[in-house]
C-alpha cells in the first residue's frame, strides 16, 4: 500500500470518527423524542436505539396534552417559550447585524473610530456573570425584565462584536474599485453602500447572520437571569422539565430539543447557496 493511499485511509477514518461523535448524540435525541415513558426510563440492557413502540406523546406533552398518568401535567406549555426564543433571537440578530454592518463598513472604508474594534471587543472580555449583574439592575429600572424585547436588546448588544468583526473582515477583503467607479458615475456614498456594496455582500451577510442567530437562539445564561416566568426561552424552559415522580423528563426534553433544532437548520437550508461563498469570501485574494 502506497504512502498516499495510507494517508487517505487515515484521513477518511478520522472523518468517520468525527462524524460518529457528532451524529450519535443527535440520533439518540431523535430516538428518545419518540419513545414512550417506559422506554426512556429504562436502564442498562433495556435501553434501545430504536423505539419499540414509537409515539408522539412527548410532543403532545410539552404542548399540554398529557397522555400518561406517570407524568404530572405541566404548569405551562412550550408554546410561549418557543415564541419568546423566535422573537428575541430574530430581533437580536437584526439589531446586531444592522449596527455591526454599519460600523464595520465605516471603519473599513473611512478609517473612522480607530479605537472602536477594541471597544467592541471589550464587551466579550468580561466574565458574563460580572456583566449581567449591572445589566439586571438597569433592565429592572427600565422595565425590560421578563420581556422578549428586553432579551432581544441585550442579545443585539452581546453579539454585536461578532457581527462587527465578521463583517469588517468581509469588507476589508472586498475590492474598493467597484465602489469608486460608482462614485465616479455620480452615486452618493449612501447609494453606493445600499445599491452596490450590500448586494455584493449577500453571501457574507447571510453567513454572519446565521452565526449570530445561533448564538442568540442557544443562549441560556442571559435568558435565565433576565426572565422569570412570562417570556422564558427554550433553553430555560427545557431545564425546568422535571417531575418529582419520574425525575428528569428526558423524552419531553428530547422532543423540545428536536423542535429547537428546526429554525437554525431551516435558516441554514434557506441560505445554503450563500454559505460556502460567504465563509470563503476573500480566501483567494492575492
Amino acid at each position: 500500500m502506497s504512502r498516499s493511499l495510507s494517508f487517505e485511509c487515515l484521513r477518511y477514518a478520522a472523518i468517520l470518527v468525527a462524524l460518529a461523535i457528532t451524529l450519535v448524540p443527535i440520533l439518540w435525541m431523535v430516538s428518545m423524542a419518540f419513545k414512550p415513558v417506559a422506554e426512556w426510563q429504562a436502564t442498562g440492557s433495556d435501553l434501545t436505539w430504536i423505539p419499540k413502540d414509537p409515539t408522539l406523546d412527548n410532543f403532545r406533552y410539552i404542548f399540554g396534552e398529557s397522555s400518561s398518568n406517570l407524568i404530572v401535567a405541566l404548569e405551562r406549555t412550550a408554546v410561549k417559550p418557543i415564541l419568546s426564543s423566535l422573537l428575541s433571537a430574530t430581533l437580536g440578530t437584526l439589531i446586531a447585524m444592522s449596527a455591526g454592518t454599519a460600523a464595520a463598513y465605516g471603519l473599513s472604508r473611512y478609517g473612522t473610530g480607530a479605537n472602536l474594534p477594541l471597544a467592541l471587543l471589550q464587551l466579550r472580555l468580561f466574565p458574563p456573570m460580572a456583566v449581567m449583574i449591572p445589566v439586571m439592575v438597569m433592565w429592572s429600572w427600565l422595565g425590560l425584565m421578563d420581556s422578549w424585547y428586553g432579551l432581544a436588546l441585550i442579545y443585539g448588544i452581546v453579539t454585536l462584536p461578532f457581527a462587527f468583526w465578521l463583517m469588517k473582515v468581509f469588507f476589508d477583503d472586498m475590492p474598493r474599485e467597484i465602489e469608486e467607479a460608482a462614485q465616479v458615475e455620480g452615486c452618493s456614498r449612501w447609494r453606493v453602500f445600499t445599491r452596490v456594496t450590500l448586494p455584493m455582500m449577500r453571501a457574507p451577510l447571510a453567513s454572519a447572520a446565521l452565526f449570530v442567530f445561533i448564538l442568540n437562539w442557544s443562549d441560556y445564561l442571559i435568558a435565565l437571569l433576565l426572565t422569570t416566568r412570562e417570556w422564558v426561552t427554550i433553553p430555560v424552559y427545557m431545564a425546568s422539565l422535571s417531575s418529582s415522580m419520574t425525575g428528569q423528563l428526558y423524552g419531553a426534553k428530547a422532543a423540545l430539543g428536536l423542535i429547537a433544532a428546526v429554525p437554525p437548520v431551516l435558516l441554514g437550508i434557506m441560505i445554503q447557496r450563500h454559505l460556502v461563498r460567504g465563509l470563503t469570501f476573500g480566501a483567494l485574494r492575492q
Side-chain angles (χ1 to χ4, degrees):
M1 183 180 293
S2 64
R3 184 177 179 180
S4 60
L5 184 57
S6 300
F7 177 77
E8 287 295 320
C9 291
L10 289 175
R11 188 178 70 168
Y12 282 112
I15 293 174
L16 289 176
V17 171
L19 189 62
I21 294 174
T22 304
L23 289 181
V24 164
I26 299 175
L27 295 176
W28 185 254
M29 179 184 70
V30 174
S31 173
M32 188 72 71
F34 294 96
K35 288 182 178 180
V37 177
E39 291 190 35
W40 55 256
Q41 281 186 321
T43 58
S45 60
D46 294 331
L47 287 174
T48 57
W49 272 95
I50 301 176
K52 298 177 183 178
D53 186 19
T55 179
L56 295 176
D57 284 351
N58 294 315
F59 295 92
R60 297 190 185 100
Y61 177 69
I62 61 176
F63 287 108
E65 299 180 14
S66 179
S67 60
S68 173
N69 55 9
L70 296 178
I71 306 179
V72 296
L74 290 172
E75 294 182 4
R76 52 186 173 182
T77 66
V79 175
K80 203 164 185 178
I82 293 174
L83 179 61
S84 176
S85 290
L86 284 172
L87 291 173
S88 58
T90 302
L91 183 57
T93 301
L94 291 176
I95 293 173
M97 289 303 301
S98 299
T101 300
Y105 182 77
L107 186 62
S108 176
R109 289 296 182 265
Y110 308 111
T112 56
N115 296 323
L116 181 60
L118 181 59
L120 288 175
L121 187 61
Q122 288 176 349
L123 291 174
R124 305 297 304 180
L125 295 180
F126 295 98
M129 284 302 299
V131 176
M132 288 309 301
I133 293 174
V135 169
M136 290 176 64
V137 176
M138 289 189 295
W139 257 233
S140 178
W141 182 72
L142 293 172
L144 297 176
M145 290 289 291
D146 202 15
S147 62
W148 66 267
Y149 45 86
L151 275 180
L153 181 58
I154 193 63
Y155 283 164
I157 296 173
V158 169
T159 54
L160 175 59
F162 292 102
F164 169 79
W165 279 100
L166 286 171
M167 294 309 301
K168 184 180 182 302
V169 172
F170 293 140
F171 283 128
D172 289 342
D173 288 337
M174 179 181 174
R176 305 186 182 189
E177 289 76 9
I178 301 177
E179 297 176 336
E180 293 172 353
Q183 288 181 342
V184 170
E185 293 295 328
C187 289
S188 63
R189 290 182 176 180
W190 175 252
R191 191 176 182 85
V192 169
F193 177 66
T194 56
R195 296 298 183 89
V196 178
T197 306
L198 287 184
M200 294 180 62
M201 297 292 289
R202 282 196 298 266
L205 279 169
S207 58
L210 178 60
F211 178 70
V212 172
F213 178 82
I214 292 174
L215 289 177
N216 293 332
W217 180 258
S218 59
D219 167 72
Y220 174 76
L221 178 62
I222 295 176
L224 177 65
L225 296 176
L226 295 185
T227 59
T228 55
R229 180 177 178 82
E230 290 299 322
W231 291 99
V232 298
T233 57
I234 291 177
V236 178
Y237 178 76
M238 187 181 297
S240 68
L241 289 177
S242 62
S243 169
S244 59
M245 299 175 62
T246 59
Q248 296 295 323
L249 304 179
Y250 295 113
K253 289 186 176 184
L256 184 58
L258 199 58
I259 294 174
V262 171
V265 171
L266 285 181
L267 184 59
I269 293 174
M270 290 170 58
I271 65 173
Q272 62 178 334
R273 65 191 184 95
H274 297 297
L275 280 180
V276 175
R277 184 171 180 270
L279 294 174
T280 59
F281 191 84
L284 301 179
R285 184 183 181 189
Q286 301 295 327

